[in-house]
Amino acid sequence: MRVAGKGLIDRTETVPFVFDGVSYNGFRGDTLASALLANDVRLMGRSFKYHRPRGVLTAGSEEPNALVTVGEGGAQEPNMRATMQEIYPGLAARSQNRWPSLGFDLMGINDLGAPFLGAGFYYKTFMWPKAFWEKVYEPIIRRAAGLGGLSGQDNTDKYESAYAFCDLLVIGAGPAGLMAALVAARAGADVILADENARMGGRLLAETYEVDGKPGHVWADEVLAELRGMDNVRLMTRTTVAGAYDQGTYAALERVLHHTDRRPNGAPLETYWRIVAKRSVLAAGALERPVAFRDNDRPGIMTAGAVRTYLNRWGVSPGRNVTIFGNTDDIHRTARDLLEAGVHVAAVIDSRHDAPLSDDYQVLRGAQVCGSAGRKGLESITVRRASGEEKIHTDCLAMTGGWNPSVHLTCHMNGRPTWQRDIAAFVPRPDAVPGMETAGACNGSFSTDACLREGIAAAEAALDDLGMKAPKTTVPQAEDTPYEIAQLWAVPGKGRAWLDFQNDVTVKDVKQAATENFRSVEHMKRYTTQGMATDQGKNSNVAALAVLADATGRGISETGTTTFRPPYSPMAIAALGAGAEGAGFKPQRFTTSHKAAVARNAPMVEAGLWYRPSYFPQAGETTWRQSCDREVNMVRQAVGICDVSPLGKIDIQGPDAGAFLDFVYTNMFSTLKVGRARYGLMLREDGFVMDDGTTARLGETHYVMTTTTAGAGDVMKHLEFVHQGLRPDLDVSFTSVTEQWAQFAVAGPKSRELLNDLLDMQLDDESWPFMACGPVSVLGVAGRLFRISFSGEHAYEIAVPARYGASLYDILTKRAEVLGGGLYGMEALGVLRIEKGFITHSEIHGRTTAYDIGMGRMVSQKKDCIGKTMSQREGLEEPGRERLVGLKPIGESKQLLAGAHLYKEEAEPVRTNDQGYLTSVGYSPTLETMLGLGFLADGPDRYGEVVKMVDHLRGVTTLCEVVNPVFFDPDGGRVRG
Amino acid sequence: MDNLIAKSPCDGLLPLTVGTVTLSEEDAGEVHSLAPFKGQDKALSEAMKTAHGMAFPAANRATGKAGARAVWFGPAQAMLMGPAPDAALADHAAIVDQSDAWAIVRLEGDAAEAVLARLVPLDLRVAQFKRGHTARSLLFHMTASITRVGENAFQIMVFRSMAESLVHDLKRAMEGVAARG
Amino acid sequence: MRITCPHCGERDRREFYYRGAAVDLDRPAPDAGAEAWDNFVYLRENPAGVTRELWYHEGGCGAWIVVTRNTVTHEIQGSQLASEVNA
């Protein structure tokens, strides 16, 4: 019910909203929870396991019960806490975990089976038959138990991530946080003040305290106004600092648009912030804990602090006839606030025998609530006193078991909190997070005065660390009530007393875990599920471990807490991965010929980050094989054009360039003639092959290295490592020129004819023999030409500055077509190189040596190089190693499959008989058969032998002849001619 | 007779304005990487001053001004942007033409800093990252060079082949910032 | 996590590529023998405490860096250019 004259809501603005299909009105500033309570709606959800009716327990982000689903379709958002969801015109929220309706839930039958459904029930019951788990038990359990669901559609909302930097991050904008921010800001520090609520002020908005003679919320607004006016301050509302990480990095989630249905174009629903702060102040406050007693989960039973928050902040009384139960003076504060607002207080049940009495309301000292009744909401409670049990009618019970400081962030870097007996709570261990100060209630200091003082002290300490001078600050006048508590975790008695409302864990479950020897708090948590799901045990951890401590005869301190991990409160995966969906997943690298290839309908394949055409379909071709065969024939018979720009190109210069290359390649490069290129093989230090490519010498101290497309980044890293880390004495530098040059292979018997038309000179075998290279003028533009070949044909690679790439590609295409040639893609490129036995990373896959690929003699004996020593290890050159061979099908089956294994013809195809495997296969239109490259034990010694290829996955067996891997033109006449 | 026609890296992608921020392609003129040979740092810097009126930049700094700039690019490496390098520089440094290797854009507007805060893990607040400051860093998933060239203006360089991703990522960030008003 | 690059200053860890123990800088002579090479290529300590590691400022200036770090406290005690280690 709404209470006149109370609350910080705007009563001039009525906000209509819908819950479970029913329309209600609230006011601007309401949360869904406060607006529903104002409309006397108490039932807001069903519990996880037993489907018990539940209402709000809290008024904050720790809410375990009132979880709702907001939005439809792709924008559907499950598990939104009604206590955090602000209402806006048009908000439509739905309750969860009930069918067919919240009021009548068929799964409520689980509640009747409760005696059987205790801790460990699933583990013990659904053991057999084993096959039933995945298909029968799990789907049933998952349907019955659970939180809200996703729509199954693509998320239509946008998310964002961002970085922020500051001198001081203040986490929480209650009295401690406000004071810390103010002091630091006045000193000139760059301050970020973040608070998870829509409005800053913390408990000052929820209590009736005065600060400096003004209502707390007025004082807070004045401080905020001052902060807002300073350009070194950034106020972040609706922003939960969710994690503390190394070197002053903090994660925070800003809920940008959950409080409105406005979705301006491109606007993020949430922003995931990475905040780097030189210092931080944690002023996260404290969370109130419930008391466990029989049936303490009925709608209408909530924490006393929540009752005061609803009353003072939102002008809502959760009941008309309220009872209050607990073990601190907070219960009396609650009674006074309610009475002052005109709400009837039926009784105050104080578990302390020395509790203060009052003239204004009835106090039952040394009493405990031991039960409740009411169908879908609280109707009465049972109070136990020395004199016996007594039933009291009430529609709302405000309870408190004391407060737990919000120590969570101080534990994110492995810090464990310390048990402080006098407040019966865990407090942060000092310096648990380097650079973080703690202040106020999160430190176990609960009075407003203490919060303000500690806020100032924390800011002063941070300023001191930052080398800044703190201004002189007077502590504002505020209440300084001592906190007196008598420990009270669970009221003894029969029936189910709830500890963890979210996971339906009772006192009995925790005791049973202890009985079954799950005595460690971490084991108890996993056995009972206490402390899991969206509230992560914020309402139950300490009480549960107190019960466990009692059951195992240990102290609370000795029992310890479970590990608090980020995030502090739930976070959408979409926010964590913001921007990385679709085209943002990784950069796309496009060659200068990309558009032309796409225009010719070439399907593009990814090669690292690059996109390359796989083939160029022509009219009448219905399969990729037809296109591929045609392109291969075209290169062998006329001329083909292929964009090879994605291959890594590294410019290497300096007086020691040759010496450096001798050290990273197995073979010699210092002896290479200027104007010539050479194939080079690069090893890792462990002796296995790392990469290969041709390197050209353009000048005395100037080389250009080519790497594989996939290896480009790793090779650059490797060169820099070898230079900086191992040979900083060498004067050499590296610059990637992959992007500077658009480079095209012009391959085939007519390649020279084509190029002679474009260059300012005529190519011939004498001036431009195989492996020659040098500068050329291409239609008047300075370019480079390399006579190298990956097809075994007479071929060139021609390079021009990338700005001319698209244009040159078009010209080459046109001219090739006139000569009976044209474009070829990656498929044809693959077949051409397999026909010639040229290797790629399919063969140099990290487990092969130079010896294995038939290049053992390329490891120069005249010099040291990376990987040489280890490549000569015993075992890496011994007989029996699997070495590169060619394979040709000779039996009935003509199919070869990459990844298939090789066996002796007569051997059973089992692991122990394994002789090798295929790495690359393709259909050769030149030789009219499939060809394969692979590794076979002692392969080069077995040419002519028949082996059996078996693909166990696809069920294919093919007999193959072992042959030289150079299937076509073995003496290399074509490449030179 | 065929002619080779030049295309810029962001051809067809820019300019783009969202809210108060404009993204446009920068014509930086010629771009050459300069890597001084051992012991030649000072001589190179002197030669640059004589020929181009700017020193070899210190780490994380750019020298010169619009039209003729030298931007630090890494240990013993800078990009000379604008003029063709004087022949005398070749005695002191390895010179590599990079005129076509980079997509170079200018991000300008009141909220330019806020846009980059969505993508770059750097403290780019003007008090920390002043005009003439430069950094090698990341722009979302891409390695980049970022230089403050004006009060509200940044020069951003990424690999030429990534021009589309650059525009995609910046546009998304620009929309997110603009939508907040 | 933030790492200080001797050239660029303190940077976000996502700019860096991790290689492994700084042992990689102590390359033995070719004839140092099997044990020295085995140690160099394969054997690594797994200390609970201070360790020296190689990081590459890949999303930055391209420097290889030796970072001294405590694996227990996560404290970073210093960083040095790899080029200065074997200079």
Side-chain angles (χ1 to χ4, degrees), chain A residues 671-682:
Chain A
T671 55
L672 182 65
K673 281 201 294 184
V674 172
R676 289 290 181 275
R678 181 173 283 169
Y679 176 80
L681 194 65
M682 209 178 267

Side-chain angles (χ1 to χ4, degrees), chain A residues 246-247 685 717 724-725 864, chain C residues 27 58 62 64 74 83 86:
Chain A
D246 293 326
Q247 283 82 40
E685 198 69 280
K717 219 177 286 176
Q724 295 177 33
D864 183 23
Chain C
R27 189 172 189 268
E58 188 171 26
W64 276 97
H74 295 194
S83 59
N86 281 333

Side-chain angles (χ1 to χ4, degrees), chain A residues 834-848:
Chain A
I834 291 171
E835 288 177 342
K836 286 295 297 177
F838 292 149
I839 55 169
T840 66
H841 275 294
S842 298
E843 284 73 38
I844 46 173
H845 50 49
R847 291 179 293 127
T848 49

Side-chain angles (χ1 to χ4, degrees), chain A residues 352-639:
Chain A
R352 299 171 299 176
H353 291 277
D354 57 351
L357 293 175
S358 168
D359 296 336
D360 302 324
Y361 50 88
Q362 182 195 10
V363 179
L364 307 178
R365 288 209 282 203
Q368 292 177 334
V369 177
C370 62
S372 79
R375 257 191 80 241
K376 283 173 198 161
L378 183 66
E379 289 165 17
S380 69
I381 57 171
T382 306
V383 176
R384 183 189 297 146
R385 310 173 70 181
S387 53
E389 290 188 358
E390 162 185 354
K391 191 170 171 179
I392 301 175
H393 286 277
T394 180
D395 59 355
C396 172
L397 174 69
M399 63 175 160
T400 182
W403 292 82
N404 288 327
S406 294
V407 300
H408 307 74
L409 264 71
T410 68
C411 303
H412 286 180
M413 289 176 67
N414 215 21
R416 294 279 174 172
T418 320
W419 180 250
Q420 191 176 318
R421 185 178 296 274
D422 64 328
I423 59 167
F426 284 98
V427 295
R429 194 176 288 267
D431 303 319
V433 173
M436 180 191 272
E437 304 283 337
T438 53
C442 75
N443 223 9
S445 306
F446 297 133
S447 79
T448 314
D449 176 73
C451 288
L452 295 166
R453 283 177 194 279
E454 290 189 8
I456 295 169
E460 286 172 348
L463 288 168
D464 197 44
D465 289 345
L466 292 166
M468 302 176 91
K469 201 171 147 40
K472 187 141 178 56
T473 309
T474 319
V475 186
Q477 284 279 318
E479 61 87 27
D480 192 17
T481 322
Y483 181 75
E484 279 162 17
I485 181 167
Q487 288 193 34
L488 173 63
W489 308 107
V491 176
K494 287 191 175 157
R496 286 174 293 168
W498 306 91
L499 286 166
D500 185 333
F501 294 76
Q502 185 151 73
N503 295 290
D504 274 345
V505 178
T506 65
V507 171
K508 193 177 147 204
D509 291 326
V510 173
K511 286 182 175 167
Q512 186 178 339
T515 307
E516 297 187 19
N517 216 24
F518 294 97
R519 295 160 60 90
S520 147
V521 67
E522 299 283 5
H523 288 157
M524 179 277 286
K525 167 177 173 163
R526 281 150 187 86
Y527 194 55
T528 62
T529 71
Q530 181 275 323
M532 299 189 181
T534 69
D535 80 341
Q536 286 288 295
K538 288 192 183 66
N539 304 290
S540 59
N541 278 341
V542 178
L545 78 89
V547 171
L548 180 69
D550 188 50
T552 55
R554 295 172 297 181
I556 289 176
S557 184
E558 189 191 340
T559 304
T561 63
T562 51
T563 309
F564 297 104
R565 294 189 180 86
Y568 173 74
S569 61
M571 210 179 256
I573 302 276
L576 293 174
E581 70 279 6
F585 181 62
K586 56 186 179 184
Q588 296 173 302
R589 298 181 83 171
F590 297 123
T591 62
T592 55
S593 65
H594 184 78
K595 282 183 183 149
V598 171
R600 284 176 175 255
N601 301 315
M604 303 305 281
V605 290
E606 289 177 51
L609 299 175
W610 290 95
Y611 287 74
R612 305 188 73 182
S614 53
Y615 57 95
F616 294 87
Q618 286 199 348
E621 290 173 349
T622 53
T623 68
W624 68 271
R625 257 288 304 283
Q626 290 172 318
S627 308
C628 177
D629 289 357
R630 173 183 50 74
E631 290 170 14
V632 170
N633 287 330
M634 184 182 78
V635 173
R636 294 268 177 246
Q637 289 155 21
V639 59

